[in-house]
Structures are given as structure tokens and as C-alpha cells.
Amino acid sequence: MTTTSIQGQGPRQISTFEQFVKFVTDASGLERTFRLLQAITQILCSYELLRQTTLIMLTSLTSFLLPSILFSTAGSSVEKSCVATTELIHSLLSIPTLLALRSSFALGRRFFRVGRFLDSFRSAWKLFTSPSSNSGLLLQTLQIYLAIFSSSFSGIYLLLETLHFPEVLLAAAAAPSASSSHDDVVGERQLTTLWGPDLARTLHVEGQRFWFFALVCGVAAGVVKLINLWALRRAVLSSSSGSAGQNLNLTSSLGSDSAEGEKKKGDIEKARKDQASREREEFRVTSRRIGRRVIADLLDLALPGTVVGWVEMGSGMVGVCMLGSTWLTGLEVWERCGGGE
């Protein structure tokens, strides 16, 4: 259960099901869901042992559950249902089907990113024109400019991806079908190309290169932000210690035998502890979110890095990195849908 506050009504409990509904109907949540499925299919395609193990487990589970579910049906019907379900599982977990599913999930995700470069450029401009970009503090200024570079590089990546998107759609439309001959498919592909193979590959590779730059700057900005946060935390703790000493002197001056003095002393101490607890919780939540984003960006480096040739990694490990980063970034959307942000 997640607690959210409604104006004028106080906190309200949101069930996990309501949070799930918000997640899968949210654009970011749906995109993260497709990305998770894409990572799973890529992992299954890359590791034969894992694919076979999954196949055996699902087949065994089906053989165990179906007879219990269809206990009132005739024995021959149960046997036919088990055979049909087993064939369906084998078909879904075959390499050609998994590759087709991975491509479909990747294509579906790209619809959510069309035009997103405008948002990235807007974020970069807002950071550049914010007063904090000229604060005079070295680490804070460094954090802001690293975030500006990250948003700018991300905007260029998304712009190039948007330009490459029509080529991907045309390629998907010209994919060979079972009733198409080889000559028909070749002719159709030649007629439906937009940029041509060379320019299309250049758009894709250069887009991945700028995504790599954006991730590197994002990781650096996150690390600097954590350093700034820890420095601020130490400053707050030092200030709180000084304030606690002043409060203690103030309450001592009221008289140790005074009932009013003891009450005020207890109230001040309780307020100080409550404030320290809130600050500690806020620091913990903020540092956890920043650290989670840094780890997700580090994992995501494997994806564009393998495309541009800067990272040597197999398809299976890339899928594992994608799975981890998707889970971490999906938690942000999940918390937002549950009122956690």
C-alpha cells in the first residue's frame, strides 16, 4: 500500500493494484514495461541453457496445473489441451519468435520517444538560464553544467533517433511475409527506403554515440550531486549541533527546578529530534534516488557502447545490463505513480 495526500482530505491509501494500473497506463511506465520485455527476450535469445530451462519449467508447470484446472473435463480433452499448450510454449520460446518479439518491443518503445528531444533541449536551456548555474560555488556549478551537457547530448541523440525512426517503420513495413517472394521483398525494400542504408546507419550510430556522451555526463553529474549532498548534510549536522547547544543554554537559564523550564526544555528537545529525523529521512531518500540513477546510467553505457564499438560485450550481457537499468529506472516511475514523489 502507498500513501498519498489529497488536498483537503488528508492521506489516502493507494492499493498495489491501483498503482499498477497507473503504471501500465502511464507513457513512461508502459515504455519501461516494453523495455523490460525486450531485455528478457534478448537474454533468452543469447543464453540457450536459460532458454531451455525456462522451457522445461513452463512445460512442467503447465502439465501440473492444467489437469487440476480442467478436472471436470474428459481425460482426452485434458490431454489435448496439455499438448496444445506445450506446443504453444515451444513456439513462443523458439529463437525466431523471441527475435521477432524483441524487434516488436523495440519498435513499440520508439513511438514513445518521438519528439522527446524537445523536452531534453528545454531542460538544458532551463538549467543554463537558472540562477544556480552562476552560483560561484565550484562543485554546484560543475554539477549544473554536467547536467546541461547530459541533457544537450540526450537531445541530439533523440533528434537523430527521431530522424531515423521513419526508416525503421519502412523497414518493418517491408519485412518479408510468408506469401511474399524474394523478388517482391527486394523490390519493396528498394522502394520504401527513405535515407538509404548508409545515411540510415550513420544516423543510428551517431545517435548512439551522443547517447553514450549523455550517459557519461549524467553519471558524472550524479556523482558530483552526491558529493554536494553529503557536504550539505555535514554542514547541517554541524549547524544542528550548535543550535542544540544554544537551546540547552537557553533552557538552563530558565531554571532547572522550574516546571515551566523543564516543559520548554522537553518541547525544544522533541522538536529538534523530529527535525533531525525528517532531515535524515530526506537525505536518505534523495541520496538513494541519485545513486539509483547513477547505477542505471552506468549499466546503460553498455547499450550504445557496443554499437559504436567502445564496449566489448556480448548480446546476453547487454540484455542483463538493460534488464538492471530498466528495473532501476522503472522504480522511479513506480514511485511516482504511487505518489512516492
Side-chain angles (χ1 to χ4, degrees), residues 117-127:
F117 62 90
L118 297 173
D119 184 57
S120 295
F121 288 141
R122 181 182 63 86
S123 298
W125 178 251
K126 286 180 65 177
L127 288 171

Side-chain angles (χ1 to χ4, degrees), residues 42-58:
Q42 181 163 331
I43 293 172
L44 291 175
C45 288
S46 303
Y47 297 111
E48 181 63 22
L49 180 60
L50 179 61
R51 189 179 70 87
Q52 293 294 338
T53 303
T54 306
L55 185 62
I56 293 173
M57 290 178 59
L58 290 178

Side-chain angles (χ1 to χ4, degrees), residues 17-35 108-109 111-113 116 329-339 341:
F17 178 73
E18 289 179 300
Q19 191 173 0
F20 175 76
V21 171
K22 287 186 177 182
F23 182 83
V24 296
T25 54
D26 182 84
S28 298
L30 193 57
E31 192 273 338
R32 292 292 92 181
T33 303
F34 285 166
R35 196 175 196 259
R109 290 178 51 227
F111 284 96
F112 295 97
R113 300 199 296 270
R116 288 281 299 276
T329 53
L331 286 175
E332 297 181 7
V333 184
W334 177 262
E335 292 173 356
R336 174 168 58 81
C337 292
E341 289 185 324

